[in-house]
């Protein structure tokens, strides 16, 4: 079975450019997460969708970050304009509904470097 | 508020030696507990989880963890590690009363380095 699919795997961009990260969750999963991982702050939840609706975006760092989920099989995380401090690994993850004991399935990550 | 502390940021160990990765949590209520593993350049995947029942939980790749409510701990163990176990290990906790897992609280991770 296909897992969570993310693209691009690696991106190097210049400061000020727009970055779009893409995610295809596991079919049938109702919950979708965007996480950011850095050495300094560890794993941070940026935004959580349930049934394609953003439920919790309290982790989005600032207005430069936005996320959408137009349908059950696709989500994007956009950074505009990008800054060097946005350099991190961004993970998309999905989970079936049913409570806080469910396993979260992660994609392989998008490694972003902003120079 | 719940929190998770992984007591060791790095654990070096020789191949075939036993290992214990420590995790403590703070919570005054019942919890669900998880260990995830992140191999180099990959995403996280579930090793094991405790939801209820037996306090000794067995996971993939020969790992196990024991839930100790009185010590609020959930330490991860393996009796004999392999080079391929080199990875980052994350402990996490959630509230069973929560309707979903967006409030999962993550530890900062323990880097396990298995040397030949």
């Amino acid at each position: 079975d296909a897992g969570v699919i993310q693209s691009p795997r690696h991106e190097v961009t210049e400061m000020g450019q727009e970055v779009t990260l893409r995610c295809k969750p596991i079919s049938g999963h109702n919950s979708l997460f965007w996480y950011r991982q850095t050495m300094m702050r560890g794993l941070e939840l940026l935004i959580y969708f349930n049934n394609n609706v953003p439920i919790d975006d309290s982790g989005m760092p600032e207005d430069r970050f936005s996320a959408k989920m137009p349908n059950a099989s696709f989500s994007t995380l956009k950074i505009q304009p990008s800054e060097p401090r946005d350099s991190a690994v961004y993970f998309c993850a999905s989970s079936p509904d049913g409570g806080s004991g469910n396993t979260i399935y992660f994609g392989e990550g998008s490694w972003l470097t902003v120079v | 508020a719940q929190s998770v502390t992984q007591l060791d940021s790095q654990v070096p160990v020789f191949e075939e030696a036993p290992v214990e990765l420590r995790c403590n949590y703070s919570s005054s209520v019942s919890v669900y507990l998880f260990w995830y593993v992140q191999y180099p350049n990959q995403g996280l995947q579930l090793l094991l989880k405790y939801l209820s029942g037996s306090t000794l939980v067995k996971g993939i790749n020969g790992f196990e963890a024991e839930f100790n409510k009185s010590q609020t701990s959930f330490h991860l163990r393996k009796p004999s590690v392999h080079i391929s176990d080199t990875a980052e290990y994350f402990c996490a906790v959630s509230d069973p009363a929560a309707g979903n897992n967006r409030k999962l609280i993550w530890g900062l991770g323990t880097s396990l380095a298995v040397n030949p």
Side-chain angles (χ1 to χ4, degrees), chain A residues 42-54:
Chain A
L43 202 60
E44 304 172 275
L45 178 66
L46 299 178
I47 188 167
Y48 164 75
F49 290 87
N50 186 257
N51 292 324
N52 313 338
V53 176

Side-chain angles (χ1 to χ4, degrees), chain B residues 11 14 35 38-42 45 48 55-56 58-59 64 70 73 85 92-93 106-107:
Chain B
V11 174
F14 288 109
W35 276 100
Q38 183 180 22
Y39 297 107
N41 301 318
Q42 295 187 25
Q45 63 182 90
L48 49 81
T55 57
L56 184 62
K58 294 188 183 299
E64 63 180 33
S70 62
S73 68
D85 292 322
V93 61
W106 296 90

Side-chain angles (χ1 to χ4, degrees), chain B residues 57-71:
Chain B
V57 181
K58 294 188 183 299
I60 61 172
N61 300 339
F63 283 92
E64 63 180 33
E66 185 154 20
F67 169 52
N68 187 319
K69 187 174 182 180
S70 62
Q71 297 187 3

Side-chain angles (χ1 to χ4, degrees), chain A residues 10-14 19 83-84 86-88 110-115:
Chain A
H10 298 273
E11 172 121 0
V12 180
T13 190
E14 291 186 346
V19 173
E83 297 182 3
D86 301 330
S87 296
S110 292
W111 301 68
L112 174 65
T113 301
V114 183
V115 298

